[in-house]
Amino acid sequence: MFKDLFHKKKYATVPSVPAPAERPKKDIPEGLMNKCPKCGNIAFSKELEKNLKVCPSCGHHFRLSAWERIGMTLDDGRLLEIDAHLESGDPLSFPDYKNKLRKQQEKSGLTEAVVTGEGTIGGVPVVVAVMSFDFFTGSMGSVVGEKITRAIEYADAKKLPIIIFSTSGGARMQESILSLMQMAKTSAALAKLHNNGGLFISVFTDPTTGGVSASFASLGDINLAEPGALIGFAGRIVIEQTIRQKLPDNFQTAEFNLQHGQLDKVVHRKDMRSMLTKLLELHTVRGDWSDGE
């Protein structure tokens, strides 16, 4: 009786099954999607491009390369480029500067931080200079200043309006005083253009800071900006430490600058081309200056 009570029961054994092999991870192509830095919304890159690289969720304007902006702005995206051969040297023999320039050229596909040339917008002939943050954060060195100055002089000689799309982190420290000199040079060229009755439309894009914002970018006959663009000279922290005051949350944004008289209008990217077309038509006659010369 007790033997039957404590008798161990026999259990059926299930043969072990080898664990299934891990599913192969699918390779997602790099750049397939983009995450908005403002709201965190994730969008397919192709859909974002169709929306002119503006977040469909919050309206954040992504940064554009020089050629992307040219393609969106000029008629058929066509530009007769000028001074494309100009490239930065190493005038001060700054350590590793030549190597960094080469890497920036390979990374961005540009020879310098600005592309200049002639084209048409809404059928109106115009000279444009388009800066790109992709190249050395759009810093203004000798060649950037020289190309912009030549573009201004080209517009003056051909009696064409000029539009400059600015984006920059400031002066290029590897060229020291030679970089700072470009502020005066570009401003002097614009003064001559102004005296001759020329039209200069300045468009601020994110970000436009330092020496660029303190020189030619702020000297437009008409100053426009994209929504949310950071516009200013020194950084927020530096200013707060200097004046020992807390700055407004929207300080140095395009909207803040518009409110305080620095800008004439903040224009959404989808409206920028039509806005520029209207301004050019209002200020030109058959491609010449408004006085009909």
Side-chain angles (χ1 to χ4, degrees):
M1 177 179 178
F2 290 103
K3 182 179 179 182
D4 295 336
L5 182 63
F6 293 100
H7 181 70
K8 292 182 178 180
K9 295 181 180 180
K10 294 182 179 180
Y11 296 93
T13 57
V14 179
S16 59
V17 179
E22 292 186 3
R23 294 180 179 178
K25 295 181 179 179
K26 295 182 179 180
D27 293 331
I28 300 176
E30 187 176 350
L32 180 65
M33 294 182 175
N34 280 274
K35 183 178 181 180
C36 176
K38 185 176 180 180
C39 70
N41 180 64
I42 298 177
F44 284 103
S45 299
K46 289 185 178 181
E47 294 300 320
L48 194 62
E49 289 175 4
K50 290 180 181 178
N51 204 39
L52 302 180
K53 286 200 169 181
V54 176
C55 177
S57 179
C58 69
H60 171 73
H61 284 48
F62 284 75
R63 293 170 184 168
L64 299 176
S65 69
W67 287 107
E68 283 176 331
R69 193 171 296 280
I70 289 168
M72 293 179 185
T73 309
L74 272 65
D75 294 344
D76 300 322
R78 298 180 63 182
L79 177 75
L80 176 61
E81 191 175 0
I82 58 176
D83 298 319
H85 64 286
L86 295 181
E87 296 184 22
S88 290
D90 186 15
L92 303 181
S93 299
F94 197 93
D96 204 36
Y97 183 38
K98 287 185 177 179
N99 185 45
K100 287 182 178 179
L101 280 171
R102 178 181 56 79
K103 289 182 178 179
Q104 289 292 320
Q105 291 174 340
E106 293 174 354
K107 176 184 174 183
S108 65
L110 302 173
T111 56
E112 253 302 338
V114 66
V115 176
T116 58
E118 181 182 352
T120 61
I121 299 177
V124 181
V126 64
V127 176
V128 296
V130 184
M131 300 189 71
S132 183
F133 201 76
D134 293 343
F135 192 102
F136 252 128
T137 65
S139 55
M140 181 166 65
S142 301
V143 170
V144 171
E146 179 67 16
K147 290 185 72 171
I148 290 175
T149 299
R150 290 192 184 192
I152 296 168
E153 293 173 343
Y154 182 90
D156 190 21
K158 299 197 70 173
K159 293 192 178 297
L160 295 174
I162 182 168
I163 303 173
I164 301 179
F165 293 87
S166 299
T167 178
S168 178
R172 189 170 299 177
M173 59 171 289
Q174 291 87 349
E175 297 186 23
S176 188
I177 189 64
L178 299 177
S179 175
L180 297 178
M181 289 170 60
Q182 308 310 311
M183 297 171 63
K185 184 167 71 175
T186 53
S187 298
L190 283 173
K192 182 181 178 182
L193 178 78
H194 176 76
N195 291 336
N196 291 337
L199 173 66
F200 167 39
I201 301 175
S202 179
V203 183
F204 292 83
T205 69
D206 182 65
T208 302
T209 60
V212 170
S213 69
S215 58
F216 65 85
S218 297
L219 297 176
D221 298 300
I222 301 169
N223 291 328
L224 308 176
E226 290 189 332
L230 174 65
I231 303 169
F233 180 67
R236 182 190 187 94
I237 296 177
V238 174
I239 297 174
E240 287 184 333
Q241 290 176 344
T242 302
I243 66 175
R244 298 181 181 180
Q245 292 182 20
K246 178 68 175 176
L247 295 169
D249 292 337
N250 67 338
F251 180 68
Q252 292 185 325
T253 62
E255 292 74 15
F256 182 90
N257 279 271
L258 176 65
Q259 183 181 355
H260 290 80
Q262 178 71 15
L263 298 173
D264 295 299
K265 193 173 182 62
V266 175
V267 184
H268 194 283
R269 187 171 291 166
K270 67 181 176 61
D271 300 321
M272 184 64 73
R273 177 177 156 81
S274 60
M275 172 60 69
L276 292 174
T277 300
K278 290 179 182 178
L279 291 173
L280 292 172
E281 290 175 345
L282 284 171
H283 290 83
T284 60
V285 177
R286 295 181 183 178
D288 295 331
W289 300 129
S290 56
D291 59 7
E293 293 181 359

